[in-house]
Amino acid sequence: LIKVSGKRTVRITFVVNALMLKSMPAYAAFILNEFPELFYLEINAIKLLGNSRSRRWLTPALTEAEPYLGKMFKTLSGSGLTFMTDGFPLCFMKGFEHCSIDAHDLAKGKTKYSMDEKSNYPPCAGCSLAPLCSGPRKDYAALYGWRELRPSKLDPALISARFERPAK
């Protein structure tokens, strides 16, 4: 695809699921090594739609996914490849909160179609990042609840300041 469409034109979407957790950092390294001219990597939480609805075991708990997300982000960080996430609450993206698509949109006063898919829950009321975070997916909360959520005390301005720079 890159050869046909040109450098920095192809985007890959990686959907996090329980089968791939442990290989996420290696996947990031693979992408960087094999596709140095990739435009963008999006890392998405799984949606409970279609066949995943009957295979709920494919959806990892946020606390289970968090360490592998962090390792994947660290592998990608500083590589020059732009990466963003969708579907992960900011409290599970420590140090990479600026890589959230929803945080970018909410900081600009925009709303997205996906806001109907996500929601804030009681722990979010005490979170300093609530204005930038759309919370977990509603289908995720129906499966696991919201007790994993951990309010942050981080200054949202620190995250907003990083929006001007691409998430690399």
Side-chain angles (χ1 to χ4, degrees):
L1 285 174
I2 292 170
K3 286 180 184 176
V4 171
S5 65
K7 297 176 183 179
R8 307 274 184 241
T9 59
V10 176
R11 176 183 103 176
I12 293 179
T13 300
F14 177 88
V15 179
V16 175
N17 68 66
L19 296 174
M20 302 170 94
L21 288 180
K22 292 180 181 175
S23 64
M24 288 169 58
Y27 178 80
F30 170 78
I31 289 294
L32 293 174
N33 290 330
E34 297 297 320
F35 304 106
E37 297 164 346
L38 188 68
F39 167 62
Y40 178 85
L41 177 64
E42 187 169 327
I43 305 158
N44 290 357
I46 192 170
K47 294 180 181 185
L48 287 166
L49 300 171
N51 287 331
S52 67
R53 197 176 277 180
S54 62
R55 294 176 177 93
R56 292 178 176 235
W57 53 269
L58 283 170
T59 304
L62 290 168
T63 51
E64 186 182 3
E66 183 178 29
Y68 301 105
L69 272 174
K71 289 176 185 175
M72 187 178 205
F73 296 158
K74 285 178 186 170
T75 300
L76 295 167
S77 183
S79 68
L81 176 65
T82 299
F83 64 99
M84 297 292 285
T85 66
D86 188 12
F88 295 100
L90 298 184
C91 56
F92 288 90
M93 297 180 56
K94 292 207 185 320
F96 294 94
E97 296 91 345
H98 64 286
C99 298
S100 165
I101 290 171
D102 288 342
H104 278 255
D105 285 346
L106 290 169
K108 294 175 186 173
K110 295 180 185 177
T111 57
K112 290 176 56 172
Y113 72 92
S114 63
M115 298 306 178
D116 292 337
E117 298 176 350
K118 301 166 192 160
S119 184
N120 293 120
Y121 294 90
C124 304
C127 182
S128 64
L129 300 181
L132 298 177
C133 184
S134 57
R137 295 187 50 76
K138 290 177 184 177
D139 51 2
Y140 176 88
L143 179 63
Y144 284 108
W146 44 261
R147 304 241 183 255
E148 296 173 286
L149 301 175
R150 305 171 301 234
S152 177
K153 296 190 186 319
L154 188 63
D155 182 353
L158 295 175
I159 295 165
S160 296
R162 296 192 70 188
F163 290 158
E164 300 307 314
R165 297 186 306 234
K168 293 183 179 179

